[in-house]
């Protein structure tokens, strides 16, 4: 169950190697994301989340902008913390939706994931 972003970019290479060695690779990801897309290298299982791509992109861009703003250190730190907190809330929401998706959880249990 990858995290969309830099972690995923590194994992793609590993998944390709696992597939080349005969492993069946299953990737579980939210329907909305930046980088995790279907591939011939793995089976992809998605689950719905109550977010739109634009909402996630907006929060991420705001966090990046805040991270590079100038100004008093404490002000920048507090704004960066708030941006990171919002991104964390989106991640928690995605995890909650995954765990409440009975059909997907049953598939994972049945396949000994």
């Amino acid at each position: 169950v990858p995290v969309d972003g830099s972690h995923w970019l590194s994992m793609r290479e590993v998944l390709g190697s696992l597939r080349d060695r005969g492993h069946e690779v299953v990737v579980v990801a939210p329907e909305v994301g930046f980088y995790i897309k279907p591939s011939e290298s793995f089976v992809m299982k998605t689950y719905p989340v109550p977010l739109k791509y634009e909402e996630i992109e907006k929060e991420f861009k705001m966090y990046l902008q805040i991270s590079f703003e100038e100004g008093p250190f404490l002000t920048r730190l507090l704004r960066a913390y708030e941006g990171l907190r919002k991104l964390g809330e989106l991640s928690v929401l995605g995890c909650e939706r995954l765990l409440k998706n009975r059909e997907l959880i049953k598939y994972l249990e049945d396949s000994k994931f």
Side-chain angles (χ1 to χ4, degrees):
V1 182
V3 176
D4 203 2
S6 62
H7 295 85
W8 171 249
L9 299 176
S10 300
M11 283 181 63
R12 273 193 321 210
E13 298 298 320
V14 173
L15 299 181
S17 294
L18 287 170
R19 185 210 58 221
D20 293 345
R21 294 178 182 175
H23 295 276
E24 178 185 4
V25 178
V26 177
V27 173
V28 177
E31 289 177 338
V32 178
F34 291 114
Y35 301 108
I36 303 173
K37 305 293 182 208
S39 168
E40 292 180 8
S41 297
F42 52 82
V43 173
M44 186 162 169
K45 296 292 183 179
T46 61
Y47 56 94
V49 290
L51 302 165
K52 294 183 174 141
Y53 177 86
E54 294 79 18
E55 292 173 281
I56 297 170
E57 183 180 43
K58 176 185 165 196
E59 290 298 330
F60 186 70
K61 284 183 176 180
M62 285 176 50
Y63 175 71
L64 286 177
Q65 180 182 348
I66 288 167
S67 298
F68 294 104
E69 284 181 347
E70 293 186 19
F73 173 75
L74 189 55
T75 301
R76 290 183 300 133
L77 180 65
L78 292 174
R79 291 192 63 184
Y81 170 78
E82 182 62 24
L84 195 55
R85 188 187 63 75
K86 287 180 182 179
L87 290 174
E89 286 176 1
L90 296 179
S91 293
V92 168
L93 181 61
C95 290
E96 287 174 349
R97 292 302 168 118
L98 166 60
L99 295 174
K100 291 179 181 178
N101 187 315
R102 296 283 182 216
E103 182 180 327
L104 182 53
I105 295 297
K106 179 158 178 31
Y107 166 83
L108 296 173
E109 287 173 345
D110 291 348
S111 64
K112 310 275 189 260
F113 185 80

